[in-house]
Amino acid sequence: EYLDFTAGIAVVALGHNHPDITAAVVDQASKLVHCSNLYHNEWAPQLARNIVESTIAAYPQGTQGIYAQAADGRSPARVFFSNSGTEANEGALKFARKYGKHVAELGTLGKGTSEALRGDPNLKCGIVSFTGGFHGRSMGALSVTANPKYQKPFTPLIPGVQTAKYNSTSEIGAFVDERTCGVIVEPIQGEGGIHPAQVDFLRALRRRCDQVGALLIYDEIQCGLGRSGKLWAHQLYPEDCSPDILTMAKPLANGIPIGAILVSDKVAELIKVGEHGTTFGGNPLACRVGCTVLDHIAKPEFLEHVQNAGQVLEQELQQALAPFVGSTVVELRGTGLLRGIQFASDPTEIVDLARDRGLMLVGAGGNTVRLVPPLNTSIADIKRGAAIIADCVKQFAAERKA
């Protein structure tokens, strides 16, 4: 028996063998698994509606980007389904490219710049990403994932991508300019080592994107859907940090492959039928399970449990690891049930020691061990996992002193 603090890399938010997930899969598989988007199915529009409505309800102070309201008070935000996180990010990058052309053709960025861009709208094609970010392994998503380990075997990558320093507000003006069509960032970096964005950083990105007519894309594939203790990690921040596009995947169907792109009205109105497509995306099986998952995660009492469990995990680890901070342990980071322990050296042995003791862990960048248990993990199991981690760190530290 194992206690899982990986959740399939932040995927099985409701844990393994959840009865509601099992029932939804079995029932839907006995009816209709796939019909392509040539035909209507009842679950894709239902899940899209649920995503939009739960997002708005969870953040009533939102007024910008995906939260902008129509004259009748309704949200005109829209959802496009894919099959994975990397596909969701690919779609977001495509939408940013088309939006860039639209802005260039409007000629609203100042006389000199507007004349140049109207002459060749393809010039407004730049995409900015950030150090430590991870957005996927397909070619576009890989191009905005600034990690040589992933990129080097597959160069040359797509042109027009620049990488700025994460959380460096001073660099934004130099990288995000009138030829930028999109900026993609994780509000809390996962693969990069559990690094939350600073409020001033996201606020400056939002402001600069508005100034130059670029789209702000939040990749919440790992940090979203309850993982932070809020429905979306960016909902931890002020409303003037809101995105134009939000990508999601991992936990949305608890392990059934799915991804989705939530876009604001100004983006949705530009994307015409047939300009982006998918064969499997929006299939009734994945979307029905997605509805079941969202029904659980979006409930305030569920999110409150995540917050409480995260606080318990933080307190248990802080107390147990205090003797090792400054030597074996560099620091503890994160929020909710997205946590990281950074070590002074490669912590692979700690992952191995934990597995031998019945606890599953996963690494991340920068000598960090990532803690991403299912969101419904009990407080008792949170404490049990923390105790195992403390025991492993104690052994790890002792071996290095010997």
Side-chain angles (χ1 to χ4, degrees):
E1 179 178 296
Y2 288 89
L3 180 58
D4 187 0
F5 268 35
T6 71
I9 315 183
V11 169
V12 287
L14 300 184
H16 304 280
N17 303 316
H18 191 286
D20 292 350
I21 299 298
T22 301
V25 170
V26 171
D27 185 63
Q28 191 59 41
S30 70
K31 296 176 179 177
L32 182 66
V33 171
H34 175 75
C35 61
S36 86
N37 57 15
L38 293 174
Y39 305 98
H40 173 86
N41 78 77
E42 65 178 306
W43 292 105
Q46 184 63 56
L47 179 56
R49 184 180 302 110
N50 291 356
I51 289 171
V52 172
E53 291 180 353
S54 62
T55 298
I56 301 301
Y59 199 67
Q61 66 269 43
T63 59
Q64 301 183 40
I66 58 174
Y67 298 98
Q69 293 185 346
D72 60 2
R74 301 178 66 182
S75 172
R78 296 290 183 268
V79 176
F80 186 95
F81 290 112
S82 64
N83 308 289
S84 65
T86 194
E87 286 184 43
N89 283 336
E90 291 284 351
L93 296 176
K94 286 177 66 176
F95 296 166
R97 281 281 176 87
K98 183 167 188 192
Y99 183 81
K101 288 185 179 183
H102 169 71
V103 173
E105 290 166 351
L106 287 178
T108 57
L109 295 176
K111 185 176 181 181
T113 299
S114 293
E115 289 176 356
L117 294 178
R118 272 196 302 231
D120 184 0
N122 286 327
L123 292 175
K124 191 168 177 61
C125 66
I127 297 168
V128 176
S129 61
F130 297 91
T131 55
F134 182 87
H135 303 290
R137 297 175 186 264
S138 52
M139 193 57 76
L142 180 64
S143 298
V144 295
T145 298
N147 187 327
K149 178 176 71 173
Y150 301 130
Q151 289 185 337
K152 188 175 180 181
F154 306 105
T155 55
L157 304 172
I158 68 169
V161 175
Q162 294 188 87
T163 302
K165 186 177 179 180
Y166 190 70
N167 273 334
S168 177
T169 302
S170 62
E171 290 190 5
I172 292 174
F175 282 87
V176 183
D177 59 26
E178 287 80 2
R179 295 195 178 195
T180 303
C181 66
V183 174
I184 185 166
V185 65
E186 296 166 89
I188 304 174
Q189 291 185 339
E191 180 76 18
I194 318 302
H195 295 282
Q198 297 169 1
V199 173
D200 288 347
F201 175 66
L202 293 186
R203 179 177 282 140
L205 281 179
R206 173 71 275 168
R207 186 183 306 118
R208 184 60 174 164
C209 284
D210 289 339
Q211 290 171 348
V212 302
L215 295 179
L216 181 57
I217 304 165
Y218 282 172
D219 175 345
E220 292 218 28
I221 288 161
Q222 184 160 167
C223 65
L225 286 166
R227 178 62 54 185
S228 70
K230 296 289 187 179
L231 184 59
W232 302 107
H234 74 264
Q235 293 176 342
L236 293 165
Y237 296 83
E239 65 90 19
D240 58 352
C241 300
S242 300
D244 299 300
I245 297 180
L246 179 67
T247 59
M248 66 198 77
K250 283 181 178 291
L252 183 55
N254 212 64
I256 302 297
I258 191 173
I261 315 163
L262 175 60
V263 303
S264 65
D265 180 56
K266 71 178 183 181
V267 180
E269 67 181 5
L270 293 178
I271 308 303
K272 308 305 180 186
V273 174
E275 289 186 337
H276 190 53
T278 174
T279 296
F280 296 105
N283 70 75
L285 177 63
C287 289
R288 178 168 180 183
V289 176
C291 286
T292 302
V293 170
L294 198 58
D295 283 347
H296 283 271
I297 290 178
K299 290 178 179 177
E301 57 269 28
F302 186 95
L303 295 172
E304 183 178 357
H305 168 76
V306 176
Q307 295 167 19
N308 293 337
Q311 290 170 0
V312 170
L313 180 57
E314 181 178 30
Q315 292 164 1
E316 295 287 315
L317 291 174
Q318 283 180 338
Q319 182 176 355
L321 301 183
F324 307 103
V325 174
S327 54
T328 303
V329 174
V330 176
E331 67 174 344
L332 284 69
R333 293 189 293 268
T335 187
L337 289 176
L338 178 57
R339 302 280 173 172
I341 308 171
Q342 183 178 354
F343 291 87
S345 58
D346 182 1
T348 300
E349 184 181 341
I350 290 175
V351 175
D352 295 338
L353 290 170
R355 185 175 61 248
D356 292 341
R357 289 164 170 79
L359 177 66
M360 298 165 63
L361 300 175
V362 62
N367 291 332
T368 300
V369 171
R370 194 175 355 175
L371 313 178
V372 283
L375 302 183
N376 58 352
T377 301
S378 69
I379 298 298
D381 280 341
I382 290 291
K383 291 182 176 180
R384 182 158 66 99
I388 294 172
I389 293 169
D391 187 47
C392 294
V393 173
K394 183 177 180 180
Q395 179 178 336
F396 181 74
E399 289 175 352
R400 269 140 191 79
K401 285 184 178 180

